Amino acid sequence: MTTTRLSRRRIGVTLLAAALASLAPGAAAAAPASQAAAGLQPELNALVEQGTSTAALAEVRDQGRITWRGAAGTADLATGRSAHADGRFRIASVTKTFVSTVTLQLVGEGRIGLDDPIEHYLPGAVPNGAAITVRQLLNHTSGLGNYLDDPKVRDTTEAGNREFLATGRWIEYTPERLLAIGAAMSPYFAPGQGWHYSNTNYVVIGMLIRQVTGNSWREEVENRIIRPLGLHHTTLPTTSTAIPGPHARGYFKLSEGAADVTRLSPTIADAAGAAISTTDDLTRFHAALFSGHLLAPAQLAEMTATVPIPDAPDHAEYGLGVVRYDLSCGQFWGHPGEIPGYSTGLLGTRDGSRQYAISYNEYDKSDRRKSDRLYRAFEEKALCDSPATSG
């Protein structure tokens, strides 16, 4: 669940049997930090000390081993409890990469055709569904309206944040209702004739997974990714408003001070962004995905076939549930995420050799250029100031 503008920071089980030993939790014990990785704490601290976040957690992984992990800030402003690097958080739109992976596994199994119209699978469900393909839903070229652009669902002004705190965060949405809200909006363009980020696309993909498999997208992600990889701290809540396990709390900044927005209904995000995870689980997922342990080469090639994102910084382009970014040292792949109280970044090399994940509870959004600059300083150092600098 990410805003339309994707800046650098916002923005098959049988294949696993022989190759996942190096990705297991026990095999990922922290290696001695390199000189570059050891210097990451000041950049992480800056996200908090310069006023943009209340807490920040991050991890860097290289060749299957953790080279650095850190935390900064306060997990709970009421108690002063410090943030911890193993805390859980809402990953928002990074969920899309999990959901796209399952969809592409189903493509590899011959159960879904990327260029089939969605009408073929969900007759009558999606307006103009005969002209919208599965691929266009996955890469945001469908033109479907983004339900989060409806201010009745999410208004990011202070008044809107107050309304969300009081009532909006408790609303339980069905996928059908989210689709209806997006479909009631005027299309951004004819299918395939532009690009516009829309969470509605992935709500539809979640419905597609259920139609094809008979299981919810959550069950398929659990069975095909979370359990095989042993991602024990990754959860896919249905209606629970809580974050299980240790976690930093999320806040809105209101004129009178901090307002706790940690608890909310995950149904507002559904398959577009409802998952909860840790930095360690996310880097392990990225390593498995881009090392070829979750998708066959043909499907991974489809995932990384991109379309331009208009006006994107760093020449970012969108694939199927992943974003390609150009950093100073090369191209990197991953996805950003943002949901009330939490922002997430997951990025790494195309060959799966190096990745980093970060969660930061962005509190002060008054100067987005400043917070972007601080985030980029961390990202560049995490991925570029090391022996593994290209993807």
Side-chain angles (χ1 to χ4, degrees), residues 115-120 126-137 141-144 190-192 201:
D115 297 308
D116 287 347
I118 193 62
E119 181 74 12
H120 175 75
V126 181
N128 201 25
I132 296 173
T133 67
V134 174
R135 185 189 303 275
Q136 289 166 346
L137 293 166
T141 61
S142 72
L144 276 176
N201 289 321

Side-chain angles (χ1 to χ4, degrees), residues 52-382:
T52 63
S53 300
T54 55
L57 329 170
E59 178 178 294
V60 178
R61 185 179 294 266
D62 195 3
Q63 304 296 335
R65 297 182 67 80
I66 300 165
T67 58
W68 184 86
R69 176 188 287 168
T74 305
D76 188 332
L77 295 180
T79 65
R81 177 170 53 89
S82 296
H84 290 280
D86 60 354
R88 302 187 191 189
F89 49 89
R90 301 189 189 278
I91 70 172
S93 283
V94 179
T95 305
K96 291 180 174 68
T97 308
F98 286 81
V99 172
S100 178
T101 299
V102 166
T103 306
L104 286 163
Q105 288 179 349
L106 293 169
V107 170
E109 295 165 13
R111 301 168 74 179
I112 291 175
L114 278 175
D115 297 308
D116 287 347
I118 193 62
E119 181 74 12
H120 175 75
Y121 302 99
L122 299 171
V126 181
N128 201 25
I132 296 173
T133 67
V134 174
R135 185 189 303 275
Q136 289 166 346
L137 293 166
L138 290 168
N139 68 10
H140 298 294
T141 61
S142 72
L144 276 176
N146 182 5
Y147 66 85
L148 282 179
D149 286 349
D150 185 333
K152 293 179 181 178
V153 179
R154 184 72 185 99
D155 176 358
T156 59
T157 65
E158 178 160 338
N161 285 341
R162 291 181 185 278
E163 177 67 23
F164 187 78
L165 284 164
T167 59
R169 61 171 163 164
W170 310 119
I171 296 173
E172 292 190 3
Y173 293 93
T174 64
E176 291 76 15
R177 182 178 175 189
L178 294 176
L179 172 56
I181 294 169
M185 303 168 67
S186 297
Y188 299 118
F189 43 78
Q193 300 304 305
W195 187 92
H196 195 290
Y197 195 88
S198 176
N199 290 284
T200 310
N201 289 321
Y202 276 75
V203 171
V204 176
I205 291 294
M207 296 168 68
L208 167 65
I209 291 171
R210 177 180 285 281
Q211 180 66 25
V212 169
T213 67
N215 298 319
S216 70
W217 67 267
R218 293 176 176 85
E219 292 172 304
E220 291 297 314
V221 170
E222 179 79 29
N223 292 335
R224 291 170 175 267
I225 300 175
I226 293 175
R227 288 181 183 172
L229 292 182
L231 305 182
H232 301 300
H233 304 299
T234 300
T235 56
L236 308 169
T238 51
T239 59
S240 172
T241 63
I243 298 177
H247 59 276
R249 306 192 72 81
Y251 300 93
F252 283 150
K253 184 178 182 180
L254 303 180
S255 55
E256 66 272 22
D260 193 323
V261 70
T262 306
R263 297 184 72 104
L264 57 81
S265 172
T267 62
I268 194 174
D270 192 61
I276 294 167
S277 192
T278 62
T279 57
D280 189 57
D281 274 10
L282 289 183
T283 59
R284 290 172 52 228
F285 165 62
H286 188 288
L289 175 59
F290 284 94
S291 295
H293 301 324
L294 290 171
L295 294 176
Q299 279 70 60
L300 191 54
E302 293 282 16
M303 175 176 267
T304 54
T306 61
V307 294
I309 299 174
D311 303 319
D314 311 314
H315 310 289
E317 297 197 351
Y318 204 93
L320 305 185
V322 294
V323 188
R324 193 204 74 205
Y325 295 103
D326 290 348
L327 275 65
S328 66
C329 57
Q331 293 182 345
F332 291 85
W333 297 81
H335 210 290
E338 184 178 7
I339 197 168
Y342 299 89
S343 295
T344 303
L346 176 63
L347 209 57
T349 55
R350 174 62 174 79
D351 64 3
S353 63
R354 184 171 178 82
Q355 42 280 134
Y356 96 103
I358 186 170
S359 170
Y360 51 108
N361 299 7
E362 191 174 15
Y363 176 67
D364 185 352
K365 299 185 179 183
S366 61
D367 187 347
R368 302 311 287 265
R369 288 183 297 179
K370 175 183 177 182
S371 55
D372 277 348
R373 185 173 64 252
L374 293 167
Y375 179 84
R376 289 184 181 199
F378 180 88
E379 180 182 75
E380 282 280 339
K381 198 161 191 177

